[in-house]
Amino acid sequence: MTQTTPTSPSLVQLTGIPYFIIAFIARLPFAMMVVGVLTVVVTVRGSLSLGGLTSAAVGVGTALVGPFLGAAADRWGQRPVLMLCATLNSAMLAVFALVVYTPVADAVVLASAFTIGATAPQVSPMSRSRLVTIIAERMPQPQRARTTSATMSYESAADETVFVFGPFLVGILASFIAPWAPIAIASALTLLFVGAFALHPTGRHVSVERDSDGRAPSAVSELFRPALLVVVVGIFGIGLFFGASLTALTSFMADLDAAEQAGLLYGVMGVGSAVLALGVAWLPARFTLHARWIVFGGILVAGSVLFATSTTVTSMIVALALVGIGVGPTIVTQYSLGAARSPLGRSATVMTMLGSGVVVGQAIAAAVTGATAESAGTRAAIVLPLIAAAIVLIAGVANRLLSQRHH
């Protein structure tokens, strides 16, 4: 992220260190929302099934509306879109905290959760888009590929760190203050830090790739090119893996009467994945993005085989550690390819498409894996992450074949 030549500034110099601090904290509310909603609903309403549906409603809202927020940011700039989202999302979180504690119908709770997801500020994709645009427009050509790879590494590591720390913070706040506390804190952080992220000088920028009337020179149909869609499918597979592995792991630990420790074990994968994601920036350029996807996707499949055959906590920890080696670099590679293949003037749209792919995959896999564990047992459920990993690897092979066809 800081590769420089003696005559050119680094990305950190172009944005300023405060940018990265603000952007990191601004992601935290999103990481707290799904788990926070689940926690307060289960605690207050006493229904695990309603809690699961409510969490899914947040994910559905984000997945359906997120790409449109990205398109709006591409058209009118990130600042007005983020300011509107920060205000609405903060308000919706506060409303949800009140609704759960009142004797309203479950449908109202679900609708309120949907609005939380629909108004969720797309900080991660917009940060990626913002930084990629700065790299493309303000850095010398020889630096761009290396800096983009380093930036995607950092962004992915930041996401994974937040998504490990977010649920932990929810647990602390709910345990020591009250079930509503994580939602209230998320509401305040959204207003303060997403607002600061929007108002940062880099948020003023509207891509020079836009025409004078604000339209992108590229057609909407360019978003559906096979070379870009295969990346969306691949990252959807990563989402499927996240949802299936966490749910299956919870079932596995529940069988051992230690369901509450599932999050700790899952952290083994999250920490390893974040560390390896950062390490991608130092891989040699001759180790191409196409090859990285296949190699690390293969490691993900190998770890998933071990996951599916684990019978003890020790073997499960080893499986999760191996999976972490594969998943982090694969995500970085997919985002790097998405950035490289974004049509002119549509980088925020592409980044939110990729982010939504992860969210949709998680929601679908969590629901399917939970139902499988309940009906067919844990042994059937822990095979599902392997299917998700296979989708990631197959998409990587398809990506390689498509790239060969275009050369």
Side-chain angles (χ1 to χ4, degrees):
M1 192 167 58
T2 58
Q3 281 77 11
T4 63
T5 64
T7 58
S8 60
S10 68
L11 184 59
V12 173
Q13 289 172 322
L14 290 172
T15 60
I17 292 176
Y19 170 83
F20 293 96
I21 298 172
I22 292 168
F24 183 84
I25 299 175
R27 301 166 205 254
L28 193 55
F30 187 81
M32 296 170 65
M33 283 175 196
V34 175
V35 180
V37 162
L38 175 66
T39 301
V40 72
V41 170
V42 171
T43 304
V44 176
R45 295 274 176 145
S47 172
L48 184 58
S49 61
L50 178 61
L53 286 172
T54 309
S55 295
V58 175
V60 169
T62 301
L64 291 179
V65 180
F68 294 101
L69 296 177
D74 276 334
R75 179 70 186 273
W76 294 292
Q78 291 189 13
R79 180 167 290 177
V81 175
L82 283 167
M83 287 302 295
L84 179 63
C85 286
T87 305
L88 291 176
N89 192 245
S90 180
M92 291 302 101
L93 285 164
V95 167
F96 181 83
L98 294 172
V99 164
V100 172
Y101 280 88
T102 56
V104 297
D106 291 348
V108 177
V109 176
L110 292 173
S112 181
F114 178 86
T115 63
I116 289 175
T119 58
Q122 301 290 311
V123 174
S124 292
M126 290 197 190
S127 179
R128 285 183 171 90
S129 172
R130 197 181 292 191
L131 296 176
V132 165
T133 301
I134 290 171
I135 291 167
E137 295 178 1
R138 298 180 61 185
M139 298 191 79
Q141 180 69 43
Q143 275 184 257
R144 291 177 191 170
R146 183 81 173 184
T147 306
T148 297
S149 176
T151 300
M152 293 300 117
S153 296
Y154 164 77
E155 288 285 316
S156 297
D159 282 347
E160 295 197 43
T161 302
V162 162
F163 275 95
V164 169
F165 181 66
F168 173 76
L169 184 59
V170 168
I172 294 293
L173 292 171
S175 300
F176 289 95
I177 302 178
W180 52 262
I183 300 296
I185 297 297
S187 175
L189 288 175
T190 296
L191 195 60
L192 292 173
F193 284 93
V194 176
F197 179 70
L199 294 173
H200 189 273
T202 57
R204 189 187 305 116
H205 183 80
V206 177
S207 177
V208 297
E209 294 170 344
R210 289 265 152 180
D211 293 336
S212 58
D213 63 355
R215 295 183 183 278
S218 57
V220 173
S221 59
E222 291 188 41
L223 292 169
F224 301 97
R225 289 180 293 118
L228 186 54
L229 287 179
V230 74
V231 181
V232 176
V233 171
I235 210 160
F236 171 72
I238 291 289
L240 288 174
F241 181 83
F242 284 152
S245 58
L246 178 56
T247 309
L249 180 62
T250 302
S251 179
F252 178 86
M253 295 304 293
D255 289 349
L256 301 174
D257 293 324
E260 70 281 358
Q261 295 179 21
L264 294 175
L265 262 68
Y266 195 69
V268 172
M269 181 186 79
V271 172
S273 180
V275 171
L276 267 294
L278 281 173
V280 171
W282 283 270
L283 292 174
R286 63 180 178 275
F287 188 12
T288 65
L289 293 175
H290 313 299
R292 292 177 193 181
W293 187 342
I294 293 173
V295 169
F296 290 109
I299 294 173
L300 180 62
V301 169
S304 299
V305 170
L306 187 55
F307 185 100
T309 55
S310 292
T311 55
T312 66
V313 172
T314 300
S315 61
M316 184 60 78
I317 290 173
V318 174
L320 289 167
L322 183 57
V323 161
I325 294 173
V327 74
T330 302
I331 294 174
V332 173
T333 300
Q334 291 167 338
Y335 271 111
S336 297
L337 285 167
R341 295 172 183 175
S342 295
L344 287 175
R346 298 190 184 275
S347 62
T349 308
V350 170
M351 291 301 157
T352 48
M353 284 171 61
L354 297 178
S356 294
V358 175
V359 172
V360 172
Q362 280 180 303
I364 292 173
V368 171
T369 308
T372 302
E374 214 167 275
S375 62
T378 297
R379 299 315 305 176
I382 62 174
V383 174
L384 297 182
L386 176 58
I387 296 174
I391 291 172
V392 174
L393 181 58
I394 291 168
V397 173
N399 170 73
R400 180 60 179 160
L401 294 174
L402 284 170
S403 66
Q404 287 177 333
R405 187 182 302 171
H406 291 285
H407 285 84

